[in-house]
């Protein structure tokens, strides 16, 4: 099967992007909880990553089930913010390129419409070739400081959680350390303490994904979801979570064939897994591609409304 790994946002090339200025401690914008959800559906949780350098988050809300009218997608992921490295202070910091910043600055029109439909909106965080990653914080204090940046961002913009994607960190660059066993455990532990009721998900790849235990603490249960990172394939994430929180299936919409997407959805249901991951939903009518898996997951075609 096709091992189609996602095309990554090259935020390092956006030289005009400034460090995202966070006004920490601000309350969530008005309207974040004023939801009128679509009808409930039965079946796995469907997740859609959106490359916001190229596409609008609003595309996630344009798909409903023909039978019953429920949302096709339950979780929309803003792809992607970055973990960057300040060589002067020798600390990691959360960075938004100009397109991610645009989404966050316009949550009233880019995020709230999805939340009002009952779709959760989370922010993915990705390495950026600068040596900073989730797996090489040198101390618990450093990990906790970055966790605070993440949770403050979720609170400020009224988001529903954080997704970790440990790729492209380029550990060792700029004199940074190599992955260690404590870093990710400290980070996730602090983040869960900061936001006990929000989503934390794991794109199951990179050094962090294999470093979930330290000093008798296993952070697996602190995640809401974990998923396979290889599109067009079936791979059960190696994390101690129940099947209801795992997506062994992963598809790139428009790139993974409809027959493969349907087969992966059928297997998801047959083997009792509770999540189905999709990537790169764009602005064209993909109802045929989407229906290939919704028929298997929910017994219904998908309807696209521009």
């Amino acid at each position: 099967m096709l091992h189609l790994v996602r095309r990554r946002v090259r935020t390092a090339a956006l030289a005009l992007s400034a460090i995202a200025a966070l006004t920490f401690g601000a309350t969530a914008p008005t309207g974040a909880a004023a939801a009128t959800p679509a009808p409930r559906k039965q079946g796995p949780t469907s997740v859609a990553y959106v490359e916001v350098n190229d596409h609008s988050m609003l595309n996630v809300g344009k798909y409903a089930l023909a039978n019953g009218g429920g949302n096709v997608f339950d979780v929309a992921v803003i792809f992607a913010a970055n973990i960057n490295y300040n060589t002067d202070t020798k600390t990691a910091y959360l960075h938004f390129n100009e397109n991610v910043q645009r989404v966050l600055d316009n949550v009233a029109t880019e995020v709230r419409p999805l939340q009002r439909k009952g779709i959760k909106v989370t922010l993915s965080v990705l390495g950026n070739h600068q040596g900073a990653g989730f797996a090489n914080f040198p101390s618990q204090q450093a990990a906790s400081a970055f966790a605070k940046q993440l949770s403050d961002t979720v609170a400020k913009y009224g988001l529903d959680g954080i997704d970790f994607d440990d790729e492209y960190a380029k550990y060792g660059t700029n004199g940074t350390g190599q992955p260690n066993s404590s870093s990710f455990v400290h980070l996730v532990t602090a983040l869960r303490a900061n936001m006990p009721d929000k989503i934390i998900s794991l794109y199951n790849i990179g050094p962090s994904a294999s470093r979930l235990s330290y000093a008798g603490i296993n952070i697996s249960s602190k995640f809401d979801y974990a998923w396979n990172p290889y599109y067009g394939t079936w791979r059960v994430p190696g994390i101690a979570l129940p099947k209801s929180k795992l997506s062994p299936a992963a598809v790139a919409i428009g790139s993974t064939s409809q027959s493969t997407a349907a087969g992966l959805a059928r297997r998801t249901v047959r083997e009792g897994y509770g999540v189905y991951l999709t990537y790169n939903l764009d602005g064209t009518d993909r109802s045929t591609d989407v229906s290939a898996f919704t028929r298997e997951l929910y017994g219904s075609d998908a309807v696209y409304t521009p």
Side-chain angles (χ1 to χ4, degrees):
M1 289 187 289
L2 176 65
H3 283 51
L4 177 61
V5 182
R6 72 178 69 182
R7 176 178 58 85
R8 293 301 177 178
V9 179
R10 295 277 65 83
T11 52
L14 295 172
L16 297 179
S17 300
I19 297 173
L22 301 178
T23 307
F24 293 136
T27 57
T30 301
T36 306
R40 292 180 63 86
K41 69 185 182 188
Q42 297 296 318
T45 296
S46 289
V47 181
Y49 277 88
V50 178
E51 290 258 21
V52 296
N53 274 13
D54 305 312
H55 309 300
S56 170
M57 292 299 297
L58 295 177
N59 294 329
V60 181
K62 295 179 179 179
Y63 292 86
L65 298 176
N67 299 338
N71 297 317
V72 165
F73 298 105
D74 305 287
V75 180
V77 186
I78 301 168
F79 188 78
N82 293 97
I83 178 171
N84 278 12
Y85 189 69
N86 186 319
T87 56
D88 293 328
T89 62
K90 300 188 185 308
T91 56
Y93 66 92
L94 184 61
H95 170 80
F96 309 135
N97 75 19
E98 59 193 14
N99 294 301
V100 173
Q101 188 66 63
R102 172 185 48 77
V103 172
L104 297 177
D105 287 342
N106 294 280
V107 287
T109 55
E110 294 281 333
V111 171
R112 299 291 173 260
L114 299 179
Q115 292 174 324
R116 285 194 290 269
K117 288 175 177 281
I119 299 169
K120 302 292 187 181
V121 180
T122 67
L123 177 67
S124 188
V125 186
L126 177 71
N128 203 14
H129 305 276
Q130 298 183 10
F134 313 129
N136 69 342
F137 286 105
S139 67
Q140 183 174 3
Q141 181 181 18
S144 296
F146 189 73
K148 187 173 189 304
Q149 292 185 50
L150 295 174
S151 57
D152 284 345
T153 297
V154 168
K156 177 180 178 179
Y157 295 107
L159 303 178
D160 296 298
I162 292 292
D163 174 65
F164 287 110
D165 183 348
D166 191 8
E167 297 182 273
Y168 306 108
K170 205 170 182 182
Y171 290 104
T173 300
N174 291 318
T176 57
Q178 292 299 316
N180 63 64
S181 58
S182 64
S183 176
F184 197 47
V185 172
H186 289 321
L187 176 61
V188 175
T189 299
L191 183 61
R192 177 52 78 200
N194 292 351
M195 44 181 233
D197 301 319
K198 297 291 185 177
I199 293 170
I200 303 178
S201 60
L202 177 65
Y203 190 78
N204 192 52
I205 199 169
S208 295
S210 61
R211 290 169 169 82
L212 303 178
S213 297
Y214 175 73
I217 299 171
N218 188 298
I219 56 172
S220 297
S221 64
K222 298 184 185 300
F223 291 96
D224 294 278
Y225 305 113
W227 29 70
N228 171 17
Y230 299 102
Y231 298 104
T233 74
W234 177 275
R235 186 173 298 190
V236 179
I239 181 173
L241 285 173
K243 284 184 172 184
S244 61
K245 296 185 175 185
L246 296 176
S247 180
V251 302
I253 295 175
S255 297
T256 301
S257 71
Q258 292 174 23
S259 61
T260 297
L264 291 171
R266 196 158 46 245
R267 187 171 180 182
T268 297
V269 173
R270 183 176 69 246
E271 298 191 17
Y273 287 93
V275 189
Y276 189 85
L277 177 67
T278 74
Y279 168 68
N280 207 28
L281 184 67
D282 60 21
T284 59
D285 180 354
R286 296 289 183 182
S287 56
T288 302
D289 292 306
V290 174
S291 292
F293 61 80
T294 61
R295 282 193 292 268
E296 303 296 336
L297 296 177
Y298 312 116
S300 173
D301 284 336
V303 176
Y304 172 80
T305 303

